[in-house]
Structure formats: C-alpha cells, structure tokens
Amino acid sequence: MRKGVTASAACLSALALTVAAAPSASASDDPPPPGKITMEVLTVNGSGCPAGTAAVAPSSDNTAFTVTYSDYMAQAGGDSKPTDFRKNCQLALSVHIPQGFTYAIASADYRGFAHLAAGATGTERANYYHQGMSQTTPVSHTIKGKYSSNWQFTDRTPVAELVFKPCGETRNFNINTELRVENASGDETSFMSFDSADGSVRTVYQFAWKKCPAS
C-alpha cells in the first residue's frame, strides 16, 4: 500500500478493471508486416517512472504495443508531499521492425485508477514523437472529484496527420506523459495513477503501417 493512499487495498481489488481489447487491425492503408517486432526501454526520466518501473511489449499480431507502469502516481491532500501533486515520465524506446515497412501511431489508449475527493481534479497529459522529428501536440484529459474508479482516455490521430518514421532510418520513439492532482485539501488524499491495484492496466499504442518504396 502506498503511503498517503486512504482507499484500502481490499476496496481497490474489489473494483472491476475494464480494459478494452486491442483492435484486430491498425488504421492504415497497409496490413501489419510479417515477422518479428522487438522493443525495449532505452532511457527513462521523470518522477513518475523510477528505473525498473516501466516496461514495453509489442502485441503478437503486430497491431499495437503496450507500456506498463508499476509506480506512477500523483497525489495531493492528506499527508502528501508538496511535490507529489505532479509526476511525469519521458521514455525513449528502441523499436526494430521488419525491413520494407514504416510505422506511425494511429491512437493511444491511456488507462489507470483515480481516487479524487470532492473538489479535487486529476489530469492526464501525453504526447509522443520519433527522434529528431516534431512532437505531437500534447493532449490533456481531466477528471473532477468526487471520483473513485478506473479511468480511460483515447487519443486518435487523423489519417492525414499521421507522422511516419522515415523509411530506412533508425530512430527511437519517445513518449512523454504527465499526471497532475490539484485542488485537493483536508485530511483525505486524492490520487491519480497509471497503474491499477493488481498491475493489469496498460497503455496501448495502435500502429499504423505503410510499405516503404522499393529502393
């Protein structure tokens, strides 16, 4: 049990986790490539993801990949520290895909749990980009208390705005996320997290695939 979290472990465990299954295909003109995709976390920076608490894995059908956080929570009120109200994480991912293809991110599903007292607010903010290229515009979502349940937000990229990695180049994929809890006061602790009571909640990024021109 984390310090400052007033909801009991038994109460958290009793709440059902509604994690939607990933779609069977990405929003792209081309189907996912055959072959194996490998991914790994190269660097982590930020108060929301201490070393060893973030993991990444591609789906078996090459349509998506997941990021799992195990210690990512912002909180305020109660006996929270003044710096606890905001947590952030910057991930640099190494992504190796089959030759002859490139990818963009068609959508991102962010999930977690929040316990917010009346008057408190919790905000999730995220963006991502290929190394050396323009960042996507950060998108924010806010929950208002009183609230105590799982949360899920989906950010979708219009087809015309998909940013594909340049063909034939090796570039890391970078993800920036932030959680913020504000307007919490009194003895009750309000918090918002990217992880759940049993660690089963993951952020899901859907690939859009495109064949590269023949060289």
Side-chain angles (χ1 to χ4, degrees):
M1 176 63 65
R2 299 183 179 88
K3 182 179 180 181
V5 176
T6 59
S8 68
C11 177
L12 291 175
S13 298
L15 290 167
L17 296 175
T18 55
V19 179
S24 59
S26 301
S28 66
D29 293 332
D30 295 314
K36 185 177 181 180
I37 297 174
T38 60
M39 306 182 72
E40 64 176 317
V41 177
L42 293 180
T43 61
V44 294
N45 291 287
S47 55
C49 53
T53 64
V56 60
S59 64
S60 58
D61 59 3
N62 291 350
T63 63
F65 69 92
T66 61
V67 178
T68 306
Y69 303 100
S70 60
D71 190 17
Y72 196 157
M73 181 180 69
Q75 66 179 39
D79 61 355
S80 303
K81 298 177 182 178
T83 56
D84 289 342
F85 83 100
R86 177 186 178 273
K87 295 296 177 72
N88 73 299
C89 181
Q90 300 178 2
L91 297 179
L93 308 180
S94 172
V95 184
H96 297 282
I97 63 175
Q99 289 187 343
F101 289 83
T102 185
Y103 72 92
I105 302 300
S107 66
D109 295 323
Y110 301 97
R111 303 179 174 102
F113 187 89
H115 176 81
L116 302 171
T121 60
T123 300
E124 175 267 332
R125 186 172 186 264
N127 73 321
Y128 44 82
Y129 62 99
H130 299 289
Q131 180 183 10
M133 302 178 69
S134 298
Q135 298 189 27
T136 59
T137 301
V139 178
S140 298
H141 302 276
T142 298
I143 301 171
K144 295 182 179 180
K146 193 173 185 177
Y147 184 93
S148 187
S149 187
N150 298 298
W151 56 264
Q152 177 179 340
F153 302 118
T154 299
D155 298 338
R156 302 188 186 281
T157 304
V159 173
E161 298 178 15
L162 291 174
V163 179
F164 287 88
K165 180 184 72 69
C167 286
E169 296 186 12
T170 299
R171 298 194 183 209
N172 297 337
F173 185 71
N174 299 280
I175 298 173
N176 296 323
T177 55
E178 177 185 331
L179 293 177
R180 186 186 294 259
V181 175
E182 297 176 294
N183 302 322
S185 60
D187 296 333
E188 184 174 1
T189 299
S190 294
F191 69 91
M192 187 173 187
S193 69
F194 265 121
D195 57 311
S196 65
D198 62 1
S200 64
V201 174
R202 295 176 173 87
T203 298
V204 181
Y205 295 86
Q206 296 291 326
F207 285 121
W209 290 103
K210 186 168 66 175
K211 291 183 179 179
C212 293
S215 56

